[in-house]
């Protein structure tokens, strides 16, 4: 089965809503100038919450083919949850995807596997496709705990009945460090995730789920990952803030020569 590659940019807590407008415009124009094949590759951006309305208005008005994601959502739909954002609001802003369980949320905000699971259910309720982020820390890697990302995926999706899912494998030691996993390392873990998903959740879901690699991805290293049979895209942090660099990452086929 062919899975449409997905190139996602996680802006994290960078770029205010005015900078977002300029960045989205430049990204779309750069891709349009290059006759980018949006049918063949999905390009997703995940700006901060306060940028989403500006980005959505611009994308709608200009007919840009960029897809919006949020960086998080509440496990609740509405009520007395100060500071939280409901999936219902995100769906109204045409967010098609939402990042869930990014390692920065797990570490800085102590998000547990249980909360990640509840957020996957919240995304499902509102028709938003979760991009579930998983990955082992340096200590876990050194201790040979290769099962960590697999267990995180299973905890997130078991008993959810979810039918559309994206997973991002982001080894924590490779995030923002410039220390990139080798394509072979990433492929091995991602293949393991897919096999476990097939064995323990659903074979059809495992077959169609896009599994991305993330961690210090740049235009000059993206091709190696996307040549791998199980790696269906990338989740890019720092390099997604530069529209030209991100557009070059999205144009990975030109680096591969296919
Ligand atoms: P960097 O690309 O900056 O390493 O960040 C990766 C990431 O955390 C994307 O979600």
């Amino acid at each position: 089965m062919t899975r449409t590659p997905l190139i996602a940019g996680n802006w994290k807590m960078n770029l205010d809503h005015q900078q977002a407008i300029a960045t989205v415009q430049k990204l779309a124009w750069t891709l349009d100038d290059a006759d980018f094949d949006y049918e063949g590759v999905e390009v997703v951006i995940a700006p901060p919450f306060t940028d989403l309305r500006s980005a959505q208005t611009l994308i709608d008005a200009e007919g840009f083919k960029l897809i919006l994601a949020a960086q998080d959502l509440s496990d609740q739909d509405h009520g007395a949850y100060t500071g939280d954002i409901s999936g219902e609001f995100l769906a109204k802003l045409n967010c098609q995807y939402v990042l869930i369980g990014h390692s920065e949320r797990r570490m800085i905000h102590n998000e547990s596997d249980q909360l990640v699971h509840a957020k996957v259910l919240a995304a499902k309720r509102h028709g938003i496709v979760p991009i579930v982020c998983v990955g082992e820390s340096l200590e876990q890697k050194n201790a040979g705990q290769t099962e960590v990302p697999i267990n995180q995926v299973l905890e997130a999706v078991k008993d959810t009945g979810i039918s559309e899912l994206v997973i991002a494998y982001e080894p924590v030691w490779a995030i923002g460090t410039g220390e990139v996993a080798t394509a072979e390392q990433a492929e091995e873990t991602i293949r393991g995730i897919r096999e476990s998903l097939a064995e323990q959740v659903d074979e059809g879901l495992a077959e169609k789920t896009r599994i991305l690699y993330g961690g210090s991805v740049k235009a000059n290293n993206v091709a190696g990952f996307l040549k791998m049979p199980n790696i269906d895209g990338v989740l890019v942090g720092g390099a997604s803030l530069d529209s030209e660099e991100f557009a070059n990452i999205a144009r990975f086929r030109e680096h591969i020569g296919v």
Side-chain angles (χ1 to χ4, degrees):
M1 120 163 241
T2 49
R3 295 179 289 264
T4 305
L6 194 161
I7 307 294
N10 173 11
W11 293 6
K12 309 191 177 185
M13 197 170 73
N14 295 291
L15 307 179
D16 63 33
H17 74 283
Q18 287 167 328
Q19 294 167 318
I21 291 170
T23 305
V24 169
Q25 248 162 1
K26 191 167 173 203
L27 174 61
W29 291 340
T30 307
L31 291 173
D32 288 353
D33 281 350
D35 283 329
F36 188 74
D37 170 25
Y38 288 97
E39 299 296 313
V41 180
E42 279 186 51
V43 183
V44 175
I45 51 166
F49 287 128
T50 50
D51 297 2
L52 287 174
R53 176 63 177 153
S54 308
Q56 180 231 352
T57 309
L58 177 65
I59 288 170
D60 277 5
E62 299 289 335
F64 293 153
K65 294 187 182 117
L66 303 171
I67 300 173
L68 272 185
Q71 293 179 16
D72 185 32
L73 87 173
S74 172
D75 63 325
Q76 303 293 322
D77 292 343
H78 26 78
Y81 301 99
T82 302
D84 286 344
I85 303 288
S86 167
E88 193 175 309
F89 309 158
L90 298 175
K92 279 212 168 151
L93 288 170
N94 291 345
C95 287
Q96 291 185 35
Y97 295 97
V98 60
L99 302 181
I100 298 180
H102 191 279
S103 60
E104 286 148 20
R105 304 249 12 127
R106 292 182 193 259
M107 288 189 303
I108 304 167
H109 299 277
N110 289 320
E111 290 199 5
S112 63
D113 285 340
Q114 288 72 22
L115 183 60
V116 168
H117 180 262
K119 288 185 174 190
V120 169
L121 286 172
K124 183 182 175 220
R125 281 198 296 282
H126 299 291
I128 306 173
V129 177
I131 301 179
V132 174
C133 305
V134 298
E136 76 285 359
S137 66
L138 186 60
E139 296 72 41
Q140 290 166 329
K141 178 187 177 230
N142 290 340
Q145 295 175 3
T146 49
E147 73 288 359
V148 169
I150 292 175
N151 289 342
Q152 286 173 332
V153 168
L154 297 177
E155 289 294 324
V157 303
K158 67 174 184 195
D159 304 326
T160 57
I162 195 117
S163 61
E164 200 180 345
L165 175 69
V166 177
I167 293 166
Y169 167 57
E170 302 201 300
V172 179
W173 46 270
I175 294 180
T177 57
E179 193 177 330
V180 68
T182 66
E184 290 74 21
Q185 275 173 332
E187 166 68 13
E188 191 181 328
T189 303
I190 286 175
R191 185 164 24 86
I193 292 172
R194 197 180 302 287
E195 283 168 4
S196 300
L197 206 54
E199 280 160 21
Q200 305 205 33
V201 182
D202 184 282
E203 214 168 310
L205 181 68
E207 180 71 10
K208 71 177 188 181
T209 291
R210 268 100 40 100
I211 311 185
L212 320 180
Y213 167 77
S216 298
V217 172
K218 309 265 180 301
N220 66 12
N221 62 22
V222 66
F225 294 105
L226 286 158
K227 274 185 196 157
M228 293 291 162
N230 282 287
I231 304 182
D232 306 310
V234 285
L235 179 56
V236 185
S240 72
L241 301 174
D242 176 335
S243 299
E244 253 171 63
E245 174 78 4
F246 189 55
N248 272 329
I249 293 173
R251 295 166 63 197
F252 71 90
R253 287 211 162 103
E254 291 164 42
H255 314 299
I256 298 182
V258 290

